[in-house]
Amino acid sequence: MAIEPVKDTDPTIGRLVTDASRDISSLISKEIALAKSELKVSVKAGGIGAGLFAAAGFLGVLAIIMLSVAIAYFIHWAGLGLHWSFLIVFGLYVALAGLLVLIGIKKVKQVRAPEKAIAQGKQIPSALKGQHTA
C-alpha cells in the first residue's frame, strides 16, 4: 500500500475539529429549538384541555343543581309540600357527603409510610462505605 501525500486542498485536523464543533453546536441549538416548539404545542394543548375540563366541571355542577330542583319538584308533585321536598333533597346530599367523609377517613387511615424504602435508604450510607448489611 502506498501512502498518498497530503494535498493543499485536503482539510487539516484543526479544520476538521473546527467544522465538527460548529456542526455539533448547530445541531444542539436546532434540537433545543425543536424541543421548545414541541413544548409550546404541548403546553398550549394542555392549557386548552385543562380549560375544557374546568368548563365541563362547571356544567356538571349546574346539571346537579338542576337535577336537585327537578327531584324536589317530583317529590312535591307526589303530594308533599315544596319546602319539605327541598329539605329532603338537602338531607340526601348531607347524608351522601357524610358517607363520602366516612369512606375518605377509612382510606386515609390506610396510608402508611414506605417502610421498605426507608429501610433501604438507611442502608445506602453503609453500602457506599463498602459495608454489607443483611
Side-chain angles (χ1 to χ4, degrees):
M1 257 191 230
I3 299 176
E4 294 184 27
V6 177
K7 299 176 187 171
D8 289 339
T9 58
D10 289 343
T12 63
I13 292 177
R15 175 71 182 195
L16 291 173
V17 169
T18 303
D19 289 347
S21 297
R22 185 188 67 239
D23 291 344
I24 290 173
S25 175
S26 175
L27 178 65
I28 290 173
S29 66
K30 288 181 181 180
E31 286 292 328
I32 290 171
L34 176 63
K36 284 181 180 179
S37 68
E38 287 178 350
L39 282 175
K40 284 180 185 176
V41 170
S42 293
V43 167
K44 183 178 179 182
I48 290 172
L52 292 173
F53 281 131
F58 177 70
L59 291 175
V61 168
L62 292 179
I64 289 173
I65 292 169
M66 291 305 297
L67 178 65
S68 300
V69 172
I71 291 171
Y73 273 101
F74 277 128
I75 294 171
H76 174 67
W77 188 41
L80 204 56
L82 192 58
H83 57 287
W84 290 113
S85 301
F86 277 98
L87 281 174
I88 289 172
V89 172
F90 168 77
L92 288 173
Y93 280 125
V94 169
L96 181 62
L99 178 65
L100 292 175
V101 166
L102 290 176
I103 293 171
I105 289 171
K106 184 178 178 182
K107 291 295 179 183
V108 168
K109 286 183 178 181
Q110 292 176 352
V111 174
R112 301 281 183 249
E115 287 133 11
K116 289 180 183 178
I118 291 171
Q120 286 182 340
K122 289 180 180 177
Q123 293 175 359
I124 290 174
S126 60
L128 291 174
K129 293 177 185 173
Q131 301 170 352
H132 178 67
T133 56

